[in-house]
Amino acid sequence: MTRDPRAPRSLPPGLSRLLLASPLLLAACEGRQSVLVDGGADARILNDLFVVMLIGAVVLWFGMNGLFYWATRRSPAPHSQKLANWLVILGGIAFPTVTLGALLVYGLTIMPDLRATGDGPVIRVTGEQWWWRVEYERDDGSTVTTANEIRLPAGVRSTFLLDSKKVIHSFWVPSLGGKMDMFPGRVNEMTLGPERPGIYRGQCAEFCGESHAWMAFEAEVMEPDAFAAWLNAEAADAAAPQGEAARRGAALFLAQGCGACHAVRGTPAVGRVGPDLTHVGSRHSLAAGRLGTSTEDFAKWVANPGAWKPGAEMPAYDHLTDAQIGAIAAYLEGLE
C-alpha cells in the first residue's frame, strides 16, 4: 500500500517524545543551583559565553552538513575540479576557521572580566572530608571561622583562597560563577562578584570519596550593611545556653569530649579537627547541606553521623540516652 504524498508527515517517535518532554527539561533549569539563573556578573558572563558558543556550534553544524547535503543530495552529479577545490577551500577551511577564530577571540576577550581583582572580603575555603572550613580575613588582621556556608556582600567582588586537606575538591556555586579545583598543598585564587541578594546552593564538583554527593553548602548574598553586621556577630563568642536542657547539653558536650574536635568560642571547646560550632544554630544547614538546623536534625546527626554521611569521621553517640542526645541537640540549636 503506497502512502498518499499529500498526507502530512508524522515525526519520528523519538523526536516526538523529545519535543513533548522539552518543557519538563526546561523547567529543570530553574532553581538556586542552576547555571541559567545568574546571581552576579560572573555567572552572566558564562551564560553569555554558553549562548554564543551554542550559536557558533549550530552555525558550523548547519553550514558543514548543509554543504554535504547539497553536494550529495541536491547536486549529486560529478563536479568540476575547480568547483571541488573551491568547496574544500571555502567550506572546509575558510568557513570553519573564521567561525572558530571568532569564537576564540570572543572567549579570550571575556577572560579578564572573570579574573578581575577583588575589592571585597578575602575568604579562605578549605575542602575537608566532607565539609567546608570557611575563614574570613578581617581588616584588623583577625580571622572569623565558620563552616559549610559562605556569606557575601552584594555589589563587590570577593576573593576566595581555595585549598584542600587530603584529596582534590572543586568549589562551585553555579548561580554565581565558574568552578575551581582545590588541591592539597596549593592555594588557588578566584573572585566572584555577586549582585542579587538571595540564597544559592554550592556543591563540590570533583568526586572526592564516599560522601561527595553530600558535600554541599549554602551561599547567601547579602546587602553590604547586613553582611557587615553578620560578620561582626559571627566574630563574637558563643551565646550562653538558655534553659535547663541546653545547659545540660553544654555540660554533656564537654564531658563527651566533643571539644577535642570542635571549637565553640568562649568555652573550653577549642578543637580544630571538625567544623567550628560557635554559631552553628544560625546556619542554613547542618553537615554540609545534609540536614536542617532544627533540634530534631541535630539529634539525628549526633546519634549517628554515618547514617547521614557515609564515611564521616565523627563517631556515633548512640550510647547516650535519647534525653542526653536531645539535651546536646538543644544546646547546639541555641548556638546562634
Side-chain angles (χ1 to χ4, degrees), residues 213-239:
W214 301 118
M215 190 173 173
F217 61 94
E218 305 290 346
E220 181 174 0
V221 179
M222 314 171 73
E223 295 292 349
D225 291 343
F227 170 80
W230 170 83
L231 190 59
N232 287 333
E234 196 71 14
D237 289 343

Side-chain angles (χ1 to χ4, degrees), residues 10-294:
S10 60
L11 294 173
L15 182 57
S16 299
R17 287 192 292 268
L18 179 61
L19 292 175
L20 290 173
S22 58
L24 296 177
L25 297 175
L26 292 175
C29 296
E30 293 293 333
R32 60 197 184 98
Q33 197 180 348
S34 172
V35 295
L36 301 181
V37 180
D38 61 86
D42 302 88
R44 186 166 57 252
I45 291 172
L46 292 176
N47 189 33
D48 292 344
L49 177 64
F50 166 75
V51 172
V52 171
M53 291 294 179
L54 179 61
I55 292 173
V58 171
V59 170
L60 276 175
W61 191 89
F62 275 104
M64 300 302 295
N65 285 279
L67 182 62
F68 179 79
Y69 177 78
W70 177 82
T72 60
R73 300 289 183 178
R74 302 296 297 178
S75 183
H79 303 293
S80 66
Q81 184 65 43
K82 182 177 180 180
L83 177 59
N85 290 341
W86 278 112
L87 287 175
V88 172
I89 294 172
L90 294 179
I93 300 176
F95 173 66
T97 299
V98 170
T99 304
L100 293 175
L103 293 175
L104 175 63
V105 171
Y106 172 76
L108 292 175
T109 58
I110 67 173
M111 286 186 66
D113 295 329
L114 293 173
R115 301 181 63 85
T117 303
D119 56 355
V122 177
I123 308 167
R124 177 180 288 273
V125 181
T126 304
E128 305 277 358
Q129 296 296 95
W130 287 266
W131 57 280
W132 310 86
R133 189 186 303 275
V134 183
E135 299 168 297
Y136 292 81
E137 299 181 4
R138 308 187 75 188
D139 294 337
D140 60 3
S142 62
T143 299
V144 177
T145 303
T146 181
N148 294 327
E149 73 175 28
I150 60 172
R151 303 204 186 195
L152 304 171
V156 298
R157 181 166 286 273
S158 299
T159 301
F160 289 88
L161 305 177
L162 306 173
D163 66 351
S164 176
K165 283 292 186 183
K166 296 180 180 179
V167 299
I168 298 175
H169 298 284
S170 188
F171 181 85
W172 190 27
V173 188
S175 292
L176 296 184
K179 57 188 174 183
M180 180 168 285
D181 285 350
M182 309 162 77
F183 301 95
R186 173 179 172 178
V187 177
N188 286 337
E189 181 177 324
M190 73 178 296
T191 61
L192 290 176
E195 297 173 342
R196 191 168 68 245
I199 298 177
Y200 306 94
R201 188 178 189 272
Q203 175 69 45
C204 177
E206 180 76 25
F207 180 74
C208 54
E210 295 169 90
S211 284
H212 162 69
W214 301 118
M215 190 173 173
F217 61 94
E218 305 290 346
E220 181 174 0
V221 179
M222 314 171 73
E223 295 292 349
D225 291 343
F227 170 80
W230 170 83
L231 190 59
N232 287 333
E234 196 71 14
D237 289 343
Q242 302 295 316
E244 180 60 29
R247 285 190 286 270
R248 284 191 289 109
L252 281 167
F253 181 87
L254 296 175
Q256 292 296 318
C258 303
C261 292
H262 298 283
V264 180
R265 292 191 300 275
T267 76
V270 292
R272 288 277 299 171
V273 177
D276 187 297
L277 302 179
T278 303
H279 300 290
V280 65
S282 64
R283 294 173 192 163
H284 295 295
S285 67
L286 174 65
R290 186 65 177 97
L291 295 167
T293 54
S294 67

